[in-house]
Amino acid sequence: MSDCIFCKIAKGEIPSKKVYEDDKVLAFYDIEPAAPVHVLVIPKNHIGSINEINNENSSIVAHIFEVINKIVVELNIADTGYRVVSNCGDQGGQTVGHLHFHLLGGRNLAWPPG
Ligand code: AMP
Ligand code: ZN
């Protein structure tokens, strides 16, 4: 989508601090980190949120989790633990309308979230 900030990041039109990239997925550091490790993992193709995952596009989600598995090893949080979150919609706290998975780690994370 032309006015989507994460589509622009995926195309390199807005800079990001990349952690991982392939033809389908980009992972980059969140600009307002909520934990010592705070990475966002996005599909390069625009999907608005979890609500838009369907039979045609759902394979990207499996791929994203394989990518997360690599990143946590590289960033040394695989053994200490981490959390993967995708906020959906207003009450879910979603502020960017392009599917993304927050990868949070490097400290003890409280549960339940606010
Ligand atoms: P959410 O609120 O779940 O939709 O998550 C959106 C996340 O994107 C927030 O944690 C923001 O800090 C982050 N964010 C917004 N703009 C950028 C950007 N240009 N580069 C990196 N992270 C961003
Ligand atoms: Zn987008």
Side-chain angles (χ1 to χ4, degrees):
M1 252 169 63
S2 57
D3 62 343
C4 171
I5 183 175
F6 283 2
C7 281
K8 287 181 181 162
I9 287 176
K11 288 185 205 137
E13 294 169 10
I14 292 176
S16 67
K17 204 173 157 203
K18 291 177 190 177
V19 178
Y20 172 92
E21 182 170 24
D22 63 30
D23 55 332
K24 295 189 181 70
V25 165
L26 178 66
F28 54 98
Y29 285 102
D30 196 294
I31 35 162
E32 279 184 58
V37 174
H38 189 173
V39 171
L40 299 173
V41 190
I42 66 168
K44 288 190 168 177
N45 285 337
H46 186 85
I47 298 173
S49 75
I50 292 172
N51 283 346
E52 291 182 17
I53 294 169
N54 57 41
N55 194 246
E56 312 281 279
N57 63 19
S58 63
S59 63
I60 193 67
V61 179
H63 182 56
I64 283 172
F65 274 80
E66 287 185 46
V67 166
I68 287 170
N69 203 332
K70 288 194 221 299
I71 294 171
V72 295
V73 170
E74 211 161 284
L75 299 184
N76 271 311
I77 56 169
D79 295 334
T80 46
Y82 54 90
R83 185 172 295 162
V84 178
V85 178
S86 185
N87 299 325
C88 183
D90 288 345
Q91 289 198 344
Q94 184 177 10
T95 59
V96 175
H98 179 125
L99 180 67
H100 52 282
F101 293 86
H102 295 260
L103 168 58
L104 299 151
R107 67 169 171 84
N108 287 318
L109 299 164
W111 190 265

